[in-house]
Amino acid sequence: MDARALWQRYQDWLYFHEGLGLYLDVSRMRFDDALVESLRPKFDKAFADMAELEKGAIANPDENRMVGHYWLRNPDLAPTPELTQEIVQTIEQIESFAEKVQTGAIHPPRASRFTDVISIGIGGSALGPQFVAEALSPDFPPLKIHFIDNTDPAGIDRILTHLRNSLSSTLVLVISKSGGTPEPRNAMIEVKKAYAGQNLDFAKYAIAITGVDSNLDKVAKSEGWLARFFMYDWVGGRTSEMSSVGLVPAALQGVDIRAMLEGAKEMDDATRIPDVKNNPAALLALAWYYSGNGRGEKDMVVLPYKDSLLLFSRYLQQLVMESLGKEKDLDGNIVYQGIAVYGNKGSTDQHAYVQQLREGVPNFFATLIEVLEDRQGPSPEIDPGVTAGDYLSGFLLGTRQALYENHRDSITVTIPQVNSRTVGALIALYERAVGLYASLINVNAYHQPGVEAGKKAAAVILDLQKRVVDVLQKEKSALSLAEVAEKAGSPDEVEAIYKILRHLHSNQRGVVLKGDLAQPSSLTVSIN
């Protein structure tokens, strides 16, 4: 297509939201009008599905749950007056609590102010708050935030070591819907012990963000924690940033949560329009469907050209892959759906994997995130008439052109600046795009059976470890791995038992391995 035709296509398919100053350009995706027309019935159904979902229909049939993250930024849409009131009151409570913490009205026993906050969570309870902190936290926030988002002991140690001299002025958020998810539970126990090690009453520093009457809620209530905020069963982790999960840590950092909610609400209004060309989320879903033939045959590479949006690709990785990566469709057919997402940032990627994007395997489409404002205030010239921001813009436009010339498709999302409204809008845009695309391919975007299967598999391994250690404690002589497996009642699990014992041995847990480490079957094992 020549330059004039491309310019016309750009204008034909450009979406602009005047209120948000947001542009969406899908002109460099090579779909044609015939595809758009053929998908019209699917989109009509998708728009209808989303309308029913917002009214409170059971949109997650596997768990018999409503899906209501849209109500969080527009409480009047909630299906009952009670829910509307609860959402409104929760936002007010979060704002009030954050203000009291920041002014010192709520303060730790040994200091006049809280200075830091540790946020403990996993998955959506970590990725959303991390993305928003990176994008929106002020340079000098009222509380500096630190995340524990794994059960890695060294990672936990690093945070606690960093805060060892300020633990007495550090709040702790424990975010877990059930309270039983291993990663946040483990981190909570370790952090609790660190506070006890400094003779600090953990309850005076702890905030629970959890489901009503969950295990965590019961602990927080019985121990008299500083505060409790609740999660709803109709909000999934990956769409929970506008709930207490994301709003509490954001508000504590001084982020304008009302503006974030307003930006999301404005985008929700725009993505409710039942017309593909005038609905930015539908345009994204169309582009995804075209690129991967409705089968996820191409990866989504997310390249935000702004340092503060570095974590957007990781945030989208969970939102898209956990929502769409499904073995079965809603009719029970095996379909193996999903879209793989990865990315870092521009222009860093010009010197990393853009080489492969330009000339390597054409198994992807790119999403370029453009921010029009370079910085607050004027920029110095790097070359005559040229600033560092001009270079950044040039790299983005040049990458888009270079990709297109070599038959690599791309989408460009443009926002005027990174602020609470635009970040809220970006989150809402992709939440709706995922919902619409899920309807196009007929999968449940709101459950995660693969994640649950992984949790169960881990529990089986930990149960096996207990049985193995019991066997070794009862034995007076060294055993072969096969003998341990036999006595533990799991004769076919020799490899898993070997890996469990190797881990215990490496961490001085009393397990002694003798023999040739390169030949695991030669090993004998005993316990001190």
Side-chain angles (χ1 to χ4, degrees), residues 359-419:
E359 297 185 4
V361 186
N363 61 345
F364 71 93
F365 64 96
T367 299
L368 310 174
I369 311 292
E370 178 182 26
V371 180
L372 294 177
E373 181 185 80
D374 292 338
R375 58 156 54 98
Q376 291 192 348
S379 290
E381 291 187 357
I382 302 299
D383 296 316
V386 178
T387 68
D390 295 339
Y391 270 100
L392 188 65
S393 178
F395 284 134
L396 184 153
L397 296 174
T399 297
R400 174 176 175 268
Q401 181 64 21
L403 291 174
Y404 185 79
E405 286 173 355
N406 229 25
H407 299 278
R408 271 77 167 160
D409 288 341
S410 70
I411 299 164
T412 304
V413 180
T414 302
I415 55 176
Q417 61 179 194
V418 178
N419 59 39

Side-chain angles (χ1 to χ4, degrees), residues 85-199:
Q85 186 178 14
E86 189 177 348
I87 294 166
V88 170
Q89 287 178 344
T90 297
I91 296 167
E92 291 171 351
Q93 288 163 3
I94 290 169
E95 287 179 321
S96 173
F97 179 78
E99 183 185 13
K100 287 176 182 175
V101 169
Q102 290 163 8
T103 58
I106 294 176
H107 60 86
R110 300 185 189 176
S112 60
R113 295 280 177 93
F114 283 105
T115 59
D116 295 81
V117 55
I118 297 172
S119 183
I120 297 172
I122 190 76
S125 296
L127 284 166
Q130 285 172 324
F131 164 53
V132 166
E134 184 79 15
L136 298 177
S137 187
D139 292 335
F140 302 100
L143 280 83
K144 297 188 293 289
I145 195 161
H146 314 266
F147 292 95
I148 297 178
D149 64 351
N150 202 357
T151 188
D152 174 13
I156 296 170
D157 285 349
R158 187 175 187 184
I159 296 294
L160 292 175
T161 299
H162 183 71
L163 291 169
R164 66 185 180 278
N165 295 326
S166 53
L167 215 57
S168 62
S169 61
T170 299
L171 269 176
V172 181
L173 307 180
V174 184
I175 309 175
S176 174
K177 185 181 281 189
S178 68
T181 305
E183 295 91 342
R185 172 186 166 274
N186 298 351
M188 179 193 75
I189 291 170
E190 289 219 10
V191 171
K192 201 171 185 178
K193 288 182 178 178
Y195 276 73
Q198 292 194 16
N199 294 316

